[in-house]
Short mmCIF file of all heavy atoms in Angstrom, two decimals:
data_model
loop_
_atom_site.label_atom_id
_atom_site.label_comp_id
_atom_site.label_asym_id
_atom_site.label_seq_id
_atom_site.Cartn_x
_atom_site.Cartn_y
_atom_site.Cartn_z
N LYS I 51 -1.74 18.64 -25.88
CA LYS I 51 -0.51 18.03 -26.30
C LYS I 51 0.49 17.89 -25.14
O LYS I 51 1.25 16.96 -25.06
CB LYS I 51 0.13 18.82 -27.44
CG LYS I 51 1.38 18.19 -28.04
CD LYS I 51 1.91 19.03 -29.19
CE LYS I 51 3.16 18.37 -29.78
NZ LYS I 51 3.71 19.15 -30.92
N ASN I 52 0.45 18.86 -24.19
CA ASN I 52 1.34 18.87 -23.11
C ASN I 52 0.68 18.59 -21.78
O ASN I 52 1.24 18.90 -20.72
CB ASN I 52 2.04 20.22 -23.04
CG ASN I 52 1.04 21.37 -22.91
OD1 ASN I 52 -0.14 21.24 -23.25
ND2 ASN I 52 1.48 22.52 -22.43
N TRP I 53 -0.51 17.99 -21.78
CA TRP I 53 -1.23 17.74 -20.52
C TRP I 53 -1.97 16.42 -20.65
O TRP I 53 -2.79 16.23 -21.51
CB TRP I 53 -2.22 18.85 -20.23
CG TRP I 53 -2.91 18.75 -18.88
CD1 TRP I 53 -2.56 17.92 -17.87
CD2 TRP I 53 -4.02 19.50 -18.43
NE1 TRP I 53 -3.41 18.10 -16.79
CE2 TRP I 53 -4.32 19.10 -17.11
CE3 TRP I 53 -4.80 20.51 -19.03
CZ2 TRP I 53 -5.38 19.63 -16.36
CZ3 TRP I 53 -5.86 21.03 -18.31
CH2 TRP I 53 -6.15 20.59 -16.98
N ASN I 54 -1.63 15.47 -19.74
CA ASN I 54 -2.21 14.10 -19.76
C ASN I 54 -2.89 13.84 -18.40
O ASN I 54 -2.45 14.31 -17.36
CB ASN I 54 -1.12 13.12 -20.03
CG ASN I 54 -1.62 11.65 -19.83
OD1 ASN I 54 -1.54 11.13 -18.74
ND2 ASN I 54 -2.13 11.08 -20.87
N ILE I 55 -3.96 13.04 -18.45
CA ILE I 55 -4.59 12.57 -17.24
C ILE I 55 -4.79 11.06 -17.39
O ILE I 55 -5.17 10.59 -18.46
CB ILE I 55 -5.90 13.31 -16.93
CG1 ILE I 55 -6.42 12.85 -15.56
CG2 ILE I 55 -6.91 13.10 -18.03
CD1 ILE I 55 -7.57 13.72 -15.05
N THR I 56 -4.56 10.30 -16.34
CA THR I 56 -4.68 8.83 -16.39
C THR I 56 -5.44 8.38 -15.16
O THR I 56 -5.22 8.85 -14.03
CB THR I 56 -3.27 8.21 -16.40
OG1 THR I 56 -2.62 8.62 -17.59
CG2 THR I 56 -3.37 6.69 -16.41
N ALA I 57 -6.31 7.38 -15.34
CA ALA I 57 -7.06 6.75 -14.27
C ALA I 57 -6.78 5.28 -14.24
O ALA I 57 -6.81 4.62 -15.32
CB ALA I 57 -8.56 7.05 -14.37
N ASP I 58 -6.57 4.73 -13.06
CA ASP I 58 -6.32 3.28 -12.91
C ASP I 58 -7.31 2.74 -11.88
O ASP I 58 -7.58 3.34 -10.83
CB ASP I 58 -4.93 3.02 -12.42
CG ASP I 58 -3.86 3.29 -13.47
OD1 ASP I 58 -3.72 2.43 -14.37
OD2 ASP I 58 -3.23 4.35 -13.41
N PHE I 59 -7.87 1.57 -12.23
CA PHE I 59 -8.73 0.86 -11.26
C PHE I 59 -8.40 -0.61 -11.34
O PHE I 59 -8.21 -1.17 -12.39
CB PHE I 59 -10.23 1.07 -11.60
CG PHE I 59 -11.15 0.19 -10.81
CD1 PHE I 59 -11.46 0.52 -9.50
CD2 PHE I 59 -11.67 -0.96 -11.32
CE1 PHE I 59 -12.28 -0.28 -8.73
CE2 PHE I 59 -12.51 -1.77 -10.60
CZ PHE I 59 -12.83 -1.43 -9.28
N SER I 60 -8.33 -1.24 -10.16
CA SER I 60 -8.15 -2.69 -10.13
C SER I 60 -8.94 -3.28 -8.99
O SER I 60 -9.17 -2.65 -7.95
CB SER I 60 -6.67 -3.04 -10.01
OG SER I 60 -6.18 -2.69 -8.73
N ARG I 61 -9.40 -4.52 -9.21
CA ARG I 61 -10.14 -5.22 -8.19
C ARG I 61 -9.71 -6.69 -8.17
O ARG I 61 -9.71 -7.33 -9.22
CB ARG I 61 -11.65 -5.12 -8.43
CG ARG I 61 -12.51 -5.91 -7.45
CD ARG I 61 -14.01 -5.77 -7.82
NE ARG I 61 -14.88 -6.58 -7.02
CZ ARG I 61 -15.46 -6.22 -5.82
NH1 ARG I 61 -15.16 -5.01 -5.34
NH2 ARG I 61 -16.20 -7.03 -5.20
N PHE I 62 -9.34 -7.16 -7.01
CA PHE I 62 -8.91 -8.53 -6.87
C PHE I 62 -9.83 -9.19 -5.83
O PHE I 62 -10.03 -8.65 -4.72
CB PHE I 62 -7.47 -8.63 -6.41
CG PHE I 62 -7.00 -10.06 -6.06
CD1 PHE I 62 -6.71 -10.93 -7.09
CD2 PHE I 62 -6.92 -10.49 -4.74
CE1 PHE I 62 -6.37 -12.24 -6.80
CE2 PHE I 62 -6.56 -11.76 -4.45
CZ PHE I 62 -6.26 -12.63 -5.45
N ARG I 63 -10.38 -10.38 -6.20
CA ARG I 63 -11.27 -11.04 -5.32
C ARG I 63 -11.05 -12.56 -5.44
O ARG I 63 -10.85 -13.08 -6.53
CB ARG I 63 -12.75 -10.75 -5.65
CG ARG I 63 -13.77 -11.48 -4.82
CD ARG I 63 -15.18 -11.22 -5.26
NE ARG I 63 -16.15 -11.96 -4.46
CZ ARG I 63 -16.51 -13.20 -4.69
NH1 ARG I 63 -15.98 -13.86 -5.71
NH2 ARG I 63 -17.41 -13.82 -3.93
N SER I 64 -11.03 -13.23 -4.26
CA SER I 64 -10.88 -14.65 -4.27
C SER I 64 -11.51 -15.24 -2.99
O SER I 64 -11.38 -14.63 -1.91
CB SER I 64 -9.41 -15.07 -4.38
OG SER I 64 -9.29 -16.50 -4.27
N SER I 65 -12.14 -16.39 -3.15
CA SER I 65 -12.68 -17.02 -1.94
C SER I 65 -11.64 -17.90 -1.23
O SER I 65 -11.88 -18.43 -0.18
CB SER I 65 -13.89 -17.88 -2.32
OG SER I 65 -13.51 -18.91 -3.25
#
Side-chain angles (χ1 to χ4, degrees):
K51 185 177 180 180
N52 56 340
W53 185 13
N54 170 271
I55 186 169
T56 299
D58 289 281
F59 171 78
S60 68
R61 177 181 173 88
F62 173 78
R63 178 184 179 275
S64 176
S65 61

